[in-house]
């Protein structure tokens, strides 16, 4: 049977087969689980959020691919991802930044920790800042496009992922990010 409206089904999400560091509700390591189990059972875990700013103070915004398991096609206001089993948070941040945007060898500044518990996600987030003006190398499996906007304009965009929104709002409230007028 043909679809009279010509709509297309969303692509099947791709879930990477990796072991994720699990933590308890106080952010203490308590084992590991495959990514699919972490999502299914909504376990607490750690994730990194690397806000990439250019010389004009603009934030790098990424559109997620349609095959992402969570928030397909959404807008991320930070690079980053889950911390693998046994991985140090700062090493996970460096890995994610290199994988998603091709950014390597730049100073990574840890700025704060936050807790995100919405929509079935239970995350202890570690936020980092990076200054970068070079070319980006987007990871085609995860990043459909990237563009630069002021942090306050980024927060006004539709489709922003809730966890990266919280990361940017937390940094603005803490005075770590500036709103440029």
């Amino acid at each position: 049977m043909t679809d009279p409206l010509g709509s297309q089904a969303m692509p099947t999400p791709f879930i990477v087969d990796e072991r994720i560091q699990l933590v308890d509700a106080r952010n203490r390591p308590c084992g590991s689980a495959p990514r699919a189990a972490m999502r299914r059972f909504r376990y607490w875990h750690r994730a990194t959020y690397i806000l990439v700013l250019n010389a004009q103070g603009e934030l790098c915004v990424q559109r997620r691919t349609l095959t992402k398991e969570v928030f397909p096609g959404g807008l991320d206001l930070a690079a980053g991802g889950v911390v693998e089993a046994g991985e140090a948070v700062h090493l996970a941040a460096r890995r994610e930044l290199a994988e998603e945007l091709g950014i390597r060898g730049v100073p990574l500044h840890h700025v704060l920790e936050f807790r995100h518990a919405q929509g079935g996600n239970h995350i202890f987030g570690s936020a980092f800042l990076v200054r970068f003006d070079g070319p980006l190398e987007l990871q085609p499996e995860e990043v459909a496009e990237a563009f630069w906007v002021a942090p306050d304009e980024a927060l006004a965009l539709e489709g922003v992922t809730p966890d990266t929104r919280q990361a940017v709002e937390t940094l603005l409230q803490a005075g770590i990010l500036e709103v440029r007028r």
Side-chain angles (χ1 to χ4, degrees), residues 13 23 50 64 82 98 100 103-104 126 135 149 161 167 173 181:
V23 294
I50 307 97
R64 298 165 69 85
V82 299
E100 291 179 12
I103 299 174
R104 296 170 180 81
S126 295
V149 297
T161 57
Q173 290 168 358
R181 304 272 181 219

Side-chain angles (χ1 to χ4, degrees), residues 100-132:
E100 291 179 12
L101 299 177
I103 299 174
R104 296 170 180 81
V106 296
L108 192 67
H109 304 282
H110 180 261
V111 289
L112 59 79
E113 302 284 320
F114 67 98
R115 183 178 166 135
H116 178 81
Q118 290 180 11
N121 291 305
H122 296 90
I123 303 165
F124 282 96
S126 295
F128 297 83
L129 282 180
V130 165
R131 300 280 179 182
F132 187 76

Side-chain angles (χ1 to χ4, degrees), residues 18-80:
E18 59 190 352
R19 293 200 69 81
I20 305 304
Q21 180 66 58
L22 302 181
V23 294
D24 64 16
R26 292 172 55 190
N27 198 19
R28 297 177 299 199
C30 63
S32 66
R35 181 187 284 264
M38 179 268 294
R39 293 279 183 227
R40 180 176 178 206
F41 298 111
R42 302 176 174 189
Y43 292 138
W44 280 101
H45 60 284
R46 294 176 177 159
T48 60
Y49 297 83
I50 307 97
L51 284 74
V52 180
L53 298 168
N54 64 18
Q56 293 77 39
E58 296 171 317
L59 187 62
C60 181
V61 177
Q62 304 171 54
R63 180 167 309 278
R64 298 165 69 85
T65 61
L66 294 177
T67 55
K68 291 291 287 180
E69 69 195 86
V70 179
F71 307 115
L75 295 175
D76 276 333
L77 305 184

